[in-house]
Amino acid sequence: MTASSAPPAPHNRAVRWWLLSIAVLIAIMVLVGGATRLTESGLSIVEWKPVTGTLPPLGEAQWIAAFEAYKTIPQYRELNAGMSLDQFKTIFWWEWSHRLLGRVIGIAYLLPFLWFLWRGALAAELKRRLWLIFGLGALQGAVGWWMVASGLTQRTEVSQYRLATHLVLALVIFAAIVWTLRRMAGRPPAIVPARLRITSVALLVLTFVQLYLGALVAGLRAGRIYNTWPEIDGALIPSAARLFFEEPWWRNLFDNPLTVQFEHRMTAYALLALTILHAVDAIRARAAKYVIGIAVWLAAAMLLQAVLGILTLLHQVPIDLALAHQAVAMVVLTLSIFQVEQLAAQSKVTPQKLSVPAGQAG
């Protein structure tokens, strides 16, 4: 960590605890969002009221008004016609809790941030990074409504494209905070082979790709369609005619439930193989203990994630297994960020070429 990125010592601990609490809140937010999607609750609130929407319906008349508003959208007419008011309240509370948690995160971020700015507790580099994170958080609120709006007029669910964008942006914010926390920790650098840095970056990029694909799977409900493993649609590799029947061909990568789930599976296999290779390579290279430790924990978490993914699929996406699958995905992402950050910091230390003075034994 450079001197310019470190806050003054008296405030270092307070800033780190603040950012850690925000990271935890975002992780919880992602899980609540997953539950909201699994319970088909995301369209139960059909208006975006950033301030007045903080309060839920107060009294029977307001509940009836909220329910009547929900009845105007296609999801109610085509999927939930005849739903009772009590059933509506169940899905309403999921979506309201999701939105409320987003507001809580915004306040929990902004107020301490302003206080630290007023106290002069933030170095210039850290200040710029935190302003960027704040901007991304504000954008996330708008993206959330953009996602919900896609399901209010012509669809019975939100667009899988917008759902995936909403999730990935949340994870980018989470990653930025975790990265900042790691930089503030100031771990001493160690020399590692360049290939370890390359594979760590590849793992992080592939993890984000996999999380995006997972959101597409959720948006298309693809996990409820093909529930066999290791075969999918009757084969280890489905026929090209089934994978690429839409025109143009590239739309299958995002719109075809079979293709999207197949992509998700293949990426999972690639991630598992790469994490194991990375861990073995770190051990053989005799890297620093904390580098090996993160690599081994990452491989273990990835293996657990694969098992949970298979179980979730075979049991047709029960909410408990699905949320466990999502929670471990957050763990995998966190460990991937840890490894990339610490190896990126090490890459700044250029090892000097050893030279042996003339006449001295090597």
Side-chain angles (χ1 to χ4, degrees):
M1 181 178 61
T2 63
S4 61
S5 64
H11 296 97
N12 192 306
R13 184 182 297 273
V15 173
R16 290 174 64 185
W17 276 109
W18 163 57
L19 291 177
L20 178 61
S21 67
I22 297 298
V24 170
L25 285 172
I26 293 175
I28 295 172
M29 179 75 163
V30 169
L31 294 180
V32 172
T36 301
R37 178 67 187 92
L38 290 165
T39 56
E40 303 285 355
S41 304
L43 297 177
S44 58
I45 303 177
V46 300
E47 296 177 301
W48 188 31
K49 297 179 179 179
V51 178
T52 58
T54 303
L55 293 176
L58 303 174
E60 193 72 6
Q62 291 186 12
W63 274 113
I64 292 174
F67 192 21
E68 290 300 318
Y70 177 63
K71 288 180 179 180
T72 64
I73 70 172
Q75 186 184 79
Y76 173 81
R77 295 194 300 267
E78 298 181 29
L79 299 180
N80 293 327
M83 169 185 278
S84 68
L85 180 59
D86 285 340
Q87 290 172 321
F88 169 72
K89 287 180 180 181
T90 298
I91 63 173
F92 181 96
W93 283 122
W94 273 116
E95 175 64 7
W96 180 82
S97 298
H98 186 53
R99 296 192 188 191
L100 179 65
L101 187 54
R103 294 179 174 96
V104 168
I105 292 173
I107 294 171
Y109 188 94
L110 180 60
L111 295 184
F113 182 35
L114 294 176
W115 187 85
F116 287 126
L117 289 173
W118 176 62
R119 298 288 295 177
L122 305 173
E125 179 185 335
L126 181 59
K127 192 186 304 182
R128 287 192 296 270
R129 190 178 304 164
L130 294 177
W131 272 120
L132 175 61
I133 293 172
F134 175 75
L136 291 175
L139 176 63
Q140 177 71 333
V143 169
W145 176 247
W146 175 65
M147 176 190 69
V148 170
S150 68
L152 296 180
T153 54
Q154 298 178 342
R155 302 170 61 103
T156 60
E157 72 288 317
V158 300
S159 161
Q160 74 271 21
Y161 296 98
R162 300 188 188 188
L163 175 67
T165 301
H166 187 52
L167 175 63
V168 170
L169 181 55
L171 296 176
V172 167
I173 297 169
F174 175 81
I177 292 174
V178 172
W179 182 281
T180 300
L181 278 166
R182 292 291 294 178
R183 279 295 161 100
M184 293 177 65
R187 183 176 292 279
I191 305 304
V192 296
R195 65 179 181 274
L196 278 176
R197 292 194 293 273
I198 294 171
T199 53
S200 71
V201 172
L203 279 171
L204 181 58
V205 171
L206 205 56
T207 296
F208 268 106
V209 171
Q210 180 70 331
L211 290 165
Y212 179 83
L213 291 174
L216 291 181
V217 168
L220 293 168
R221 300 182 181 87
R224 301 181 187 273
I225 302 174
Y226 303 99
N227 301 108
T228 58
W229 184 86
E231 293 186 343
I232 178 173
D233 197 34
L236 290 175
I237 301 178
S239 66
R242 295 278 289 156
L243 288 173
F244 298 102
F245 68 87
E246 292 192 19
E247 295 291 341
W249 68 268
W250 57 264
R251 290 188 62 88
N252 292 275
L253 303 177
F254 307 94
D255 292 334
N256 184 340
L258 175 61
T259 308
V260 170
Q261 196 193 123
F262 181 67
E263 292 169 348
H264 193 53
R265 291 190 188 196
M266 294 301 105
T267 306
Y269 298 150
L271 269 170
L272 181 58
L274 189 56
T275 52
I276 293 173
L277 175 64
H278 181 74
V280 171
D281 195 20
I283 294 170
R284 293 185 62 184
R286 297 181 180 181
K289 287 185 179 180
Y290 53 87
V291 174
I292 294 175
I294 294 296
V296 171
W297 276 109
L298 181 56
M302 195 70 75
L303 179 59
L304 175 60
Q305 175 71 341
V307 172
L308 284 171
I310 293 168
L311 291 175
T312 301
L313 182 73
L314 294 178
H315 289 84
Q316 300 186 25
V317 198
I319 190 169
D320 52 350
L321 281 175
L323 291 181
H325 185 53
Q326 193 164 16
V328 177
M330 296 290 291
V331 173
V332 168
L333 176 61
T334 301
L335 292 172
S336 298
I337 296 165
F338 281 9
Q339 193 74 318
V340 171
E341 189 282 327
Q342 66 186 6
L343 295 185
Q346 292 161 11
S347 68
K348 295 181 180 180
V349 180
T350 304
Q352 298 296 321
K353 184 177 180 180
L354 297 178
S355 60
V356 180
Q360 182 174 333

